[in-house]
Amino acid sequence: MKFLRTLVEKFVGKPVDWDEVEESLIRADLGVPMAIRIIEELHKIETYRTVTAADVSEIARDEVLRVLPKTTKPLEALPDRPGVVLVVGVNGTGKTTSTAKLAHYLKARRHSVLLAAADTFRAAAIEQLGIWAERIGVEMIRGQYNADPAALCYEAYVAAQKRNAQFLICDTAGRLHTKTNLMGELTKVRRSLAKHDETAPHETLLVVDATTGSNAVAQAREFHQAIGLTGLVVTKLDGSGKGGIVVAIQEELGIPTRFIGTGEKLNDFAPFDPREFVAEMV
Protein backbone atom coordinates (compact mmCIF):
# COMPACT_ATOMS: atom_id res chain seq x y z
CA MET A 1 0.00 0.00 0.00
CA LYS A 2 2.58 2.60 1.16
CA PHE A 3 0.27 5.33 -0.10
CA LEU A 4 1.98 8.09 1.93
CA ARG A 5 5.58 7.12 1.22
CA THR A 6 5.89 9.16 -1.99
CA LEU A 7 4.41 12.19 -0.26
CA VAL A 8 6.85 12.00 2.65
CA GLU A 9 9.85 11.39 0.38
CA LYS A 10 9.09 14.60 -1.53
CA PHE A 11 9.63 16.74 1.54
CA VAL A 12 12.65 15.10 3.14
CA GLY A 13 15.17 17.87 3.84
CA LYS A 14 13.02 20.68 2.44
CA PRO A 15 9.96 22.74 3.43
CA VAL A 16 6.50 21.22 3.09
CA ASP A 17 4.40 22.42 0.15
CA TRP A 18 0.91 22.71 1.66
CA ASP A 19 -1.00 22.50 -1.63
CA GLU A 20 0.90 19.38 -2.59
CA VAL A 21 0.32 17.79 0.82
CA GLU A 22 -3.44 18.39 0.60
CA GLU A 23 -3.65 17.16 -3.00
CA SER A 24 -1.64 14.01 -2.18
CA LEU A 25 -3.79 13.18 0.86
CA ILE A 26 -6.98 13.51 -1.18
CA ARG A 27 -5.45 11.50 -4.04
CA ALA A 28 -4.71 8.71 -1.54
CA ASP A 29 -8.52 8.46 -1.11
CA LEU A 30 -8.47 9.33 2.58
CA GLY A 31 -11.42 11.65 1.97
CA VAL A 32 -11.62 15.45 2.16
CA PRO A 33 -12.57 15.67 5.89
CA MET A 34 -9.58 13.53 6.90
CA ALA A 35 -7.21 15.44 4.61
CA ILE A 36 -8.38 18.77 6.07
CA ARG A 37 -7.96 17.50 9.63
CA ILE A 38 -4.40 16.32 8.97
CA ILE A 39 -3.55 19.70 7.41
CA GLU A 40 -5.02 21.56 10.41
CA GLU A 41 -2.95 19.49 12.85
CA LEU A 42 0.19 20.17 10.80
CA HIS A 43 -0.56 23.92 10.83
CA LYS A 44 -0.61 23.79 14.64
CA ILE A 45 2.98 22.53 14.57
CA GLU A 46 3.90 25.27 12.10
CA THR A 47 3.08 27.94 14.70
CA TYR A 48 6.24 27.10 16.67
CA ARG A 49 8.58 25.28 14.23
CA THR A 50 9.09 24.10 10.67
CA VAL A 51 6.92 21.15 9.61
CA THR A 52 8.95 18.16 8.41
CA ALA A 53 8.23 15.04 6.38
CA ALA A 54 8.28 13.04 9.63
CA ASP A 55 5.50 15.30 10.98
CA VAL A 56 3.32 14.57 7.95
CA SER A 57 3.78 10.84 8.49
CA GLU A 58 3.17 10.94 12.26
CA ILE A 59 0.08 13.18 12.14
CA ALA A 60 -1.46 11.18 9.28
CA ARG A 61 -1.01 7.94 11.21
CA ASP A 62 -2.42 9.40 14.43
CA GLU A 63 -5.52 10.82 12.72
CA VAL A 64 -6.23 7.59 10.83
CA LEU A 65 -5.86 5.54 14.02
CA ARG A 66 -8.45 7.78 15.71
CA VAL A 67 -10.99 6.92 13.03
CA LEU A 68 -10.39 3.19 12.63
CA PRO A 69 -11.76 0.75 15.22
CA LYS A 70 -9.19 -0.63 17.67
CA THR A 71 -10.06 -4.22 16.70
CA THR A 72 -11.92 -6.02 13.94
CA LYS A 73 -15.05 -7.94 14.87
CA PRO A 74 -14.74 -11.59 13.76
CA LEU A 75 -17.49 -13.61 12.09
CA GLU A 76 -18.95 -15.75 14.84
CA ALA A 77 -20.95 -18.95 14.43
CA LEU A 78 -24.36 -18.99 16.09
CA PRO A 79 -25.06 -21.77 18.61
CA ASP A 80 -28.38 -23.01 17.23
CA ARG A 81 -28.81 -21.94 13.60
CA PRO A 82 -26.85 -21.00 10.47
CA GLY A 83 -25.11 -17.64 10.51
CA VAL A 84 -26.12 -15.97 7.25
CA VAL A 85 -23.61 -13.78 5.41
CA LEU A 86 -24.91 -11.75 2.47
CA VAL A 87 -22.11 -10.69 0.10
CA VAL A 88 -23.03 -7.68 -2.06
CA GLY A 89 -21.29 -5.31 -4.45
CA VAL A 90 -21.16 -4.19 -8.06
CA ASN A 91 -19.75 -6.40 -10.81
CA GLY A 92 -16.00 -6.24 -11.26
CA THR A 93 -15.04 -5.71 -7.61
CA GLY A 94 -14.15 -9.36 -6.99
CA LYS A 95 -17.41 -10.18 -5.22
CA THR A 96 -17.76 -13.83 -6.28
CA THR A 97 -14.06 -14.56 -5.70
CA SER A 98 -14.26 -12.87 -2.28
CA THR A 99 -17.29 -15.05 -1.45
CA ALA A 100 -15.21 -18.14 -2.21
CA LYS A 101 -12.22 -16.82 -0.26
CA LEU A 102 -14.44 -16.16 2.76
CA ALA A 103 -15.79 -19.72 2.56
CA HIS A 104 -12.24 -21.05 2.38
CA TYR A 105 -11.19 -18.87 5.33
CA LEU A 106 -14.06 -20.16 7.49
CA LYS A 107 -13.54 -23.78 6.46
CA ALA A 108 -9.84 -23.53 7.33
CA ARG A 109 -10.99 -22.57 10.83
CA ARG A 110 -13.08 -25.76 11.05
CA HIS A 111 -16.45 -24.15 10.36
CA SER A 112 -19.00 -25.90 8.15
CA VAL A 113 -20.04 -23.69 5.24
CA LEU A 114 -22.73 -23.79 2.58
CA LEU A 115 -22.62 -21.46 -0.44
CA ALA A 116 -25.62 -20.05 -2.29
CA ALA A 117 -25.07 -18.92 -5.89
CA ALA A 118 -27.68 -16.16 -5.76
CA ASP A 119 -26.11 -14.05 -8.52
CA THR A 120 -28.52 -15.69 -10.94
CA PHE A 121 -28.53 -12.77 -13.39
CA ARG A 122 -24.95 -13.49 -14.48
CA ALA A 123 -24.67 -17.08 -15.65
CA ALA A 124 -20.87 -16.97 -15.39
CA ALA A 125 -21.13 -16.15 -11.68
CA ILE A 126 -22.92 -19.44 -10.97
CA GLU A 127 -20.28 -21.40 -12.86
CA GLN A 128 -17.44 -19.41 -11.30
CA LEU A 129 -18.67 -19.99 -7.75
CA GLY A 130 -19.32 -23.64 -8.57
CA ILE A 131 -15.69 -24.12 -9.63
CA TRP A 132 -14.50 -22.45 -6.42
CA ALA A 133 -16.88 -24.54 -4.29
CA GLU A 134 -15.51 -27.75 -5.80
CA ARG A 135 -11.93 -26.60 -5.28
CA ILE A 136 -12.55 -25.60 -1.67
CA GLY A 137 -14.62 -28.67 -0.90
CA VAL A 138 -17.87 -27.03 0.19
CA GLU A 139 -21.43 -27.61 -0.99
CA MET A 140 -23.23 -25.04 -3.10
CA ILE A 141 -26.93 -24.43 -3.74
CA ARG A 142 -27.57 -23.23 -7.27
CA GLY A 143 -30.56 -22.36 -9.40
CA GLN A 144 -31.18 -21.76 -13.07
CA TYR A 145 -29.95 -18.65 -14.84
CA ASN A 146 -32.42 -15.79 -14.15
CA ALA A 147 -34.02 -17.70 -11.26
CA ASP A 148 -35.41 -15.69 -8.35
CA PRO A 149 -32.45 -14.96 -6.00
CA ALA A 150 -34.73 -14.47 -2.98
CA ALA A 151 -36.34 -17.89 -3.49
CA LEU A 152 -32.92 -19.49 -3.94
CA CYS A 153 -31.63 -17.96 -0.68
CA TYR A 154 -34.79 -19.14 1.08
CA GLU A 155 -34.13 -22.71 -0.11
CA ALA A 156 -30.44 -22.43 0.72
CA TYR A 157 -31.30 -21.56 4.33
CA VAL A 158 -33.45 -24.71 4.56
CA ALA A 159 -30.54 -26.74 3.18
CA ALA A 160 -28.11 -25.10 5.63
CA GLN A 161 -30.38 -26.05 8.53
CA LYS A 162 -30.69 -29.67 7.35
CA ARG A 163 -26.91 -29.96 6.98
CA ASN A 164 -26.26 -28.21 10.32
CA ALA A 165 -24.05 -25.73 8.47
CA GLN A 166 -22.61 -23.06 10.73
CA PHE A 167 -22.46 -20.48 7.94
CA LEU A 168 -24.55 -19.83 4.83
CA ILE A 169 -22.78 -17.41 2.47
CA CYS A 170 -24.94 -15.93 -0.30
CA ASP A 171 -23.27 -14.42 -3.37
CA THR A 172 -25.75 -11.87 -4.75
CA ALA A 173 -26.23 -10.07 -8.06
CA GLY A 174 -23.92 -7.18 -8.84
CA ARG A 175 -25.90 -5.55 -11.60
CA LEU A 176 -29.50 -5.51 -12.76
CA HIS A 177 -31.19 -3.27 -15.31
CA THR A 178 -31.22 -0.29 -12.95
CA LYS A 179 -29.79 0.44 -9.49
CA THR A 180 -33.35 0.59 -8.17
CA ASN A 181 -33.96 -2.96 -9.41
CA LEU A 182 -30.72 -4.19 -7.84
CA MET A 183 -31.47 -2.70 -4.43
CA GLY A 184 -35.06 -3.92 -4.62
CA GLU A 185 -33.84 -7.44 -5.37
CA LEU A 186 -31.44 -7.35 -2.41
CA THR A 187 -34.24 -6.15 -0.14
CA LYS A 188 -36.32 -9.13 -1.30
CA VAL A 189 -33.44 -11.48 -0.46
CA ARG A 190 -33.22 -10.01 3.04
CA ARG A 191 -36.97 -10.45 3.56
CA SER A 192 -36.91 -14.06 2.38
CA LEU A 193 -34.09 -14.94 4.80
CA ALA A 194 -35.90 -13.16 7.63
CA LYS A 195 -38.84 -15.55 7.18
CA HIS A 196 -36.58 -18.25 8.62
CA ASP A 197 -34.82 -16.06 11.17
CA GLU A 198 -35.89 -12.48 11.80
CA THR A 199 -32.28 -11.55 12.62
CA ALA A 200 -30.96 -12.83 9.26
CA PRO A 201 -28.85 -11.95 7.42
CA HIS A 202 -26.50 -11.65 10.36
CA GLU A 203 -23.77 -10.02 8.28
CA THR A 204 -24.04 -7.99 5.09
CA LEU A 205 -20.60 -7.44 3.60
CA LEU A 206 -19.95 -5.07 0.70
CA VAL A 207 -17.03 -5.93 -1.58
CA VAL A 208 -15.25 -2.81 -2.87
CA ASP A 209 -12.18 -2.42 -5.07
CA ALA A 210 -9.52 -0.23 -3.39
CA THR A 211 -8.37 1.13 -6.75
CA THR A 212 -11.75 2.74 -7.55
CA GLY A 213 -11.30 5.49 -4.95
CA SER A 214 -14.21 7.81 -4.30
CA ASN A 215 -16.46 5.58 -6.43
CA ALA A 216 -16.13 2.94 -3.70
CA VAL A 217 -17.37 5.47 -1.13
CA ALA A 218 -20.41 6.19 -3.33
CA GLN A 219 -21.12 2.45 -3.66
CA ALA A 220 -20.90 1.98 0.12
CA ARG A 221 -23.29 4.88 0.67
CA GLU A 222 -25.91 3.49 -1.73
CA PHE A 223 -25.79 -0.09 -0.48
CA HIS A 224 -25.82 1.03 3.15
CA GLN A 225 -28.87 3.23 2.62
CA ALA A 226 -30.71 0.44 0.79
CA ILE A 227 -29.97 -2.65 2.86
CA GLY A 228 -27.68 -1.75 5.77
CA LEU A 229 -24.07 -2.98 5.80
CA THR A 230 -22.15 -4.54 8.67
CA GLY A 231 -18.73 -4.37 7.02
CA LEU A 232 -16.51 -4.19 3.97
CA VAL A 233 -14.33 -6.62 2.11
CA VAL A 234 -11.69 -4.45 0.40
CA THR A 235 -10.01 -6.05 -2.61
CA LYS A 236 -6.83 -5.17 -4.53
CA LEU A 237 -4.95 -3.90 -1.49
CA ASP A 238 -1.83 -5.29 -3.12
CA GLY A 239 0.42 -2.39 -3.92
CA SER A 240 -2.04 -0.23 -5.86
CA GLY A 241 -0.86 2.85 -3.95
CA LYS A 242 -4.42 3.33 -2.70
CA GLY A 243 -6.20 2.09 0.37
CA GLY A 244 -7.44 5.33 1.86
CA ILE A 245 -11.03 4.36 1.07
CA VAL A 246 -10.89 2.15 4.17
CA VAL A 247 -10.55 5.36 6.19
CA ALA A 248 -12.96 7.47 4.12
CA ILE A 249 -15.81 4.94 4.35
CA GLN A 250 -15.26 4.36 8.07
CA GLU A 251 -15.29 8.09 8.77
CA GLU A 252 -18.27 9.04 6.61
CA LEU A 253 -20.50 5.99 7.08
CA GLY A 254 -19.17 4.21 10.16
CA ILE A 255 -18.78 0.95 8.19
CA PRO A 256 -15.70 -1.00 9.28
CA THR A 257 -13.46 -2.98 6.97
CA ARG A 258 -13.71 -6.61 8.09
CA PHE A 259 -11.58 -8.42 5.52
CA ILE A 260 -9.01 -7.53 2.88
CA GLY A 261 -8.04 -9.25 -0.35
CA THR A 262 -4.45 -8.83 -1.51
CA GLY A 263 -4.16 -11.15 -4.50
CA GLU A 264 -5.72 -13.84 -6.67
CA LYS A 265 -4.99 -16.92 -4.54
CA LEU A 266 -7.43 -18.39 -2.01
CA ASN A 267 -5.14 -17.53 0.88
CA ASP A 268 -4.72 -13.90 -0.23
CA PHE A 269 -7.50 -12.98 2.16
CA ALA A 270 -7.37 -12.01 5.83
CA PRO A 271 -9.20 -10.16 8.60
CA PHE A 272 -8.46 -6.44 8.52
CA ASP A 273 -5.84 -5.39 11.08
CA PRO A 274 -6.13 -1.61 11.74
CA ARG A 275 -2.66 -1.25 13.27
CA GLU A 276 -0.98 -3.23 10.52
CA PHE A 277 -2.85 -1.14 7.95
CA VAL A 278 -1.59 2.10 9.49
CA ALA A 279 1.96 0.71 9.74
CA GLU A 280 1.81 -0.03 6.01
CA MET A 281 0.71 3.50 5.10
CA VAL A 282 4.28 4.79 4.94
Side-chain angles (χ1 to χ4, degrees):
M1 290 183 321
K2 309 289 182 191
F3 57 84
L4 288 176
R5 177 186 282 175
T6 306
L7 170 63
V8 171
E9 287 175 349
K10 281 180 185 175
F11 303 123
V12 172
K14 60 182 180 181
V16 166
D17 180 317
W18 292 108
D19 288 338
E20 197 163 353
V21 170
E22 187 171 350
E23 183 186 339
S24 297
L25 290 171
I26 292 171
R27 203 164 50 235
D29 298 329
L30 288 166
V32 174
M34 173 60 72
I36 290 171
R37 199 155 64 250
I38 291 170
I39 295 288
E40 287 174 349
E41 290 300 315
L42 289 169
H43 277 311
K44 289 177 186 176
I45 295 173
E46 192 185 30
T47 60
Y48 57 89
R49 66 169 173 80
T50 303
V51 174
T52 65
D55 294 324
V56 176
S57 173
E58 185 179 348
I59 294 297
R61 286 185 186 209
D62 288 348
E63 290 302 316
V64 168
L65 275 172
R66 282 196 185 95
V67 168
L68 296 178
K70 298 280 189 293
T71 58
T72 299
K73 181 188 171 193
L75 293 188
E76 295 177 346
L78 302 175
D80 55 351
R81 61 199 189 280
V84 182
V85 183
L86 207 58
V87 182
V88 303
V90 301
N91 287 347
T93 56
K95 177 176 55 64
T96 299
T97 302
S98 294
T99 301
K101 286 180 177 180
L102 178 59
H104 176 69
Y105 171 84
L106 291 170
K107 191 187 175 197
R109 280 146 190 82
R110 300 178 181 244
H111 292 297
S112 53
V113 181
L114 182 69
L115 289 171
D119 186 354
T120 60
F121 297 100
R122 186 168 68 94
I126 301 172
E127 295 166 11
Q128 182 186 358
L129 193 62
I131 292 167
W132 279 119
E134 193 173 323
R135 191 179 302 175
I136 297 164
V138 298
E139 286 191 74
M140 185 182 92
I141 304 300
R142 72 174 76 209
Q144 297 298 313
Y145 174 59
N146 269 339
D148 180 5
L152 187 136
C153 287
Y154 184 92
E155 291 166 13
Y157 189 97
V158 173
Q161 274 188 315
K162 284 181 181 174
R163 291 162 173 77
N164 291 318
Q166 291 173 297
F167 287 98
L168 169 64
I169 308 176
C170 305
D171 179 30
T172 64
R175 183 176 65 197
L176 291 175
H177 181 58
T178 66
K179 280 184 203 166
T180 306
N181 285 353
L182 171 58
M183 298 309 174
E185 198 62 61
L186 291 173
T187 303
K188 263 180 67 181
V189 168
R190 287 182 67 90
R191 284 201 307 266
S192 73
L193 289 164
K195 288 175 183 176
H196 291 292
D197 175 357
E198 62 182 18
T199 63
H202 307 99
E203 300 279 1
T204 303
L205 302 178
L206 173 71
V207 180
V208 293
D209 178 337
T211 65
T212 59
S214 59
N215 194 34
V217 182
Q219 288 167 21
R221 192 182 301 118
E222 286 186 30
F223 277 94
H224 194 45
Q225 285 173 352
I227 56 170
L229 301 172
T230 61
L232 303 178
V233 177
V234 180
T235 62
K236 300 185 186 172
L237 272 177
D238 50 0
S240 64
K242 299 287 187 175
I245 58 149
V246 165
V247 182
I249 293 173
Q250 175 74 57
E251 181 165 41
E252 181 182 333
L253 302 168
I255 304 167
T257 296
R258 304 283 290 280
F259 293 94
I260 58 169
T262 55
E264 297 299 318
K265 296 176 184 173
L266 274 173
N267 288 321
D268 295 333
F269 186 84
F272 177 68
D273 184 328
R275 293 202 168 272
E276 188 177 324
F277 173 81
V278 173
E280 287 288 322
M281 281 172 52
V282 179

